[in-house]
Amino acid sequence: MKKLYPSLLLITIGIWSSIPLQAQKKEKPNPLKNEVIQSVDSRFEALTDLSDKIWSFEEIAFQETQSAAALSDYAESLGFKVTRGVGEIPTAFVAEYGSGSPVIGILGEFDALPGLSQNKVPYKSPLHEDAPGHGCGHNLFGVASLGAAAAIKDLIEEGKIKGTVRFYGTPAEEKFFGKLWMIRAGLFEDVDVVMDWHPAAETKAAVQKGLALVDFQVEFRGQAAHAAADPWNGRSASDALELYTTGINYYREHIKPTVRIHYHIQDAGQVVNVVPDYSRIWVRVRDSSREGLMPVYEQVMKMAEGAAIMANVDYEVNLISGIHEVLVNRTGSAALQKNLETLGSISYTEEEQEFAKKIQEATGKPQIGLVSEIEPMEETAEHSMGGSTDVGDVSYVVPTIRLSATTAPNGTPWHSWAVVAAGGMSIGHKGMAYAAKALSMTMVDLFQNPELVEAVKADFKEHLGDYVYKGMVPPGPPPIKSNLQ
């Protein structure tokens, strides 16, 4: 028999003695998480069909009649109690199952964007010319969230967890921010934690704040006259509008790099031979925080008065709505991150990667295909850039945990035909199913672990501080039918 050298013996003993310690550190598999994964898989065909229907409906803000009906009817067929037309919005609804605490909510959007209709091909090809399309992937958004809620509903129904799961059908995220009116109606007052996700070109816990914004409309009213025969009798509303946009553009030099100002000229006169007596412009101001946003908003409103004085016309400023940046909850995000690491990345076929590379080629991006590796959770930047969402306002009312899941190729221009194309085929469908699994797994954690719920709430209270939330919407009902459309 050969002798072991002392060093080799120590190494051997060290290896064997470390095995029990590693086993103790490893988290035990959670059978309920396996069940929600299986639940999503069992409904994959139905969820895909529902997503494709919403993709084909192509409905914009506050007009999502078919999309809201498809989602709410499906929820009802699964046994959810559905309340439609909440928050004075015909296309908003709540679907609930269970009773008592905790109450865990999940958000679902389903509105499209104007002018982005697209076939399911990797090059620009409108399905219906000038029609809307899901250039932000919201056909996947609402369906995945409802799929996650359904998986949790199954566990409550079987008596394996206790509490209430609540799906929020939230319309008009792209234009009017429907969640603002749902918050105003008190629909989130009894919720412990809200889950949220968004289609993306990568998969990760979403821990960036995005941008706060405010939308307002300026109308100028003057005096019409013949543009050649007697222009001196006219007071041009169009002149005021041009002076206003010139002022905004000169102002850009003197604002912080985090600020964004956009505008859309909605009416600047109808014909060339009339001095126009009416003009209208939609203005949007953004910044990385509500605090930084407000001084810019106030200055740009003052500039409307200056333009009106110079053109000798009357003016009126009307608030449309405004939203907060996201109040990030890193405690909840850490719980989500663990589930992402358990699930791992989405796998794709060669055909799907080729489809993605053709989209990247068509949009002038590096042809690297789809990326869905799970990276470590990011640090939250002090000044996050990117887009804006009314989920920000929800996050100031109730603790909110957010996810991004891959539904389009890396580098894809968002709000474009490319996102519509990927969201209508298997790339989008896989991201939808993945999101439903990750969200429902994290909801299992919340239902099973009251300490986690309290920790998420404590994180929320700490970062909210003494800030008192106030929604930025004008009095009266939401603008379902107005010249804003």
Side-chain angles (χ1 to χ4, degrees), residues 377-459:
M377 195 168 80
E378 301 170 337
E379 291 300 318
T380 302
E382 181 182 356
H383 296 290
S384 302
M385 299 308 291
S388 308
T389 173
D390 54 4
V391 176
D393 282 66
V394 175
S395 74
Y396 272 84
V397 175
V398 57
T400 304
I401 304 170
R402 307 187 66 225
L403 163 73
S404 296
T406 303
T407 62
N410 187 270
T412 300
W414 222 251
H415 286 195
S416 79
W417 65 266
V419 176
V420 186
M425 49 82 71
S426 59
I427 292 171
H429 300 154
K430 284 185 174 181
M432 172 198 68
Y434 186 97
K437 292 173 184 179
L439 291 165
S440 57
M441 290 169 72
T442 308
M443 292 164 83
V444 167
D445 288 328
L446 295 167
F447 277 100
Q448 287 192 311
N449 189 348
E451 291 79 13
L452 175 60
V453 173
E454 291 308 311
V456 169
K457 287 183 174 181
D459 186 310

Side-chain angles (χ1 to χ4, degrees), residues 123-136:
Y123 51 88
K124 188 174 182 180
S125 174
L127 184 64
H128 302 110
E129 200 66 42
D130 298 324
H134 278 279
C136 210

